[in-house]
Amino acid sequence: MLPPQSDSVEKSFTDLGVTITLIDRSKMSLPVFLWQLFRAIKRSNPAIVHTILEGSTGTWGRLIGFLAGVPRIMHSDRATPNPAKTIHSRLRPFLNNRTHHFTPNAFAIADWLKDSGVPEKDMTVMPNVTNV
């Protein structure tokens, strides 16, 4: 949804054979962006859409994945959501009910997800730590 910030990271993915499709949200209106995202997902016909973060990526990726008929939707939360009433927070309960698996990076986020109705069986906590 945004251009790569690191040429070396982008090169690492392309060297592995990963195809990168950029639909730059900052360059188009929301309706055009959503249509372009829908077309890209339908065209690639993925088995899984895996979104990350609250806000646009988590909201629009899951919504369009669902509307495009993707069989499995996963989401990785990295913080508890902003309590402000935004379109993202309003859509979250709808999207959570259509998300098959969650991978929060902290037990506090998993607790928040449980409190918001996500079954524990649908979560795998994956702390982002490095054992040095």
Side-chain angles (χ1 to χ4, degrees):
M1 294 183 180
L2 294 171
Q5 300 296 308
S6 167
D7 292 337
S8 65
V9 171
E10 182 180 20
K11 183 177 178 339
S12 297
F13 278 101
T14 56
D15 287 350
L16 291 169
V18 174
T19 301
I20 298 171
T21 302
L22 173 62
I23 303 167
D24 191 345
R25 168 67 182 102
S26 68
K27 303 270 192 228
M28 57 191 81
S29 68
L30 182 60
V32 170
F33 165 74
L34 294 174
W35 175 245
Q36 293 295 324
L37 184 59
F38 178 83
R39 287 181 52 214
I41 290 174
K42 283 299 269 189
R43 188 172 34 252
S44 67
N45 193 28
I48 298 172
V49 163
H50 185 172
T51 60
I52 187 168
L53 303 175
E54 176 72 8
S56 289
T57 55
T59 300
W60 306 132
R62 289 193 290 165
L63 178 64
I64 299 303
F66 167 72
L67 293 174
V70 175
R72 302 285 295 170
I73 297 174
M74 291 181 62
H75 181 65
S76 294
D77 277 302
R78 298 293 176 247
T80 55
N82 182 340
K85 290 294 179 195
T86 64
I87 187 68
H88 307 293
S89 65
R90 288 185 190 102
L91 283 171
R92 193 176 241 287
F94 173 83
L95 295 171
N96 282 357
N97 287 330
R98 283 143 188 88
T99 300
H100 300 94
H101 201 77
F102 294 81
T103 55
N105 71 336
F107 291 100
I109 299 167
D111 291 341
W112 181 87
L113 286 167
K114 282 187 268 186
D115 290 346
S116 68
V118 174
E120 191 170 355
K121 69 176 181 55
D122 293 344
M123 282 185 255
T124 303
V125 178
M126 298 177 67
N128 53 342
V129 298
T130 303
N131 183 356
V132 294

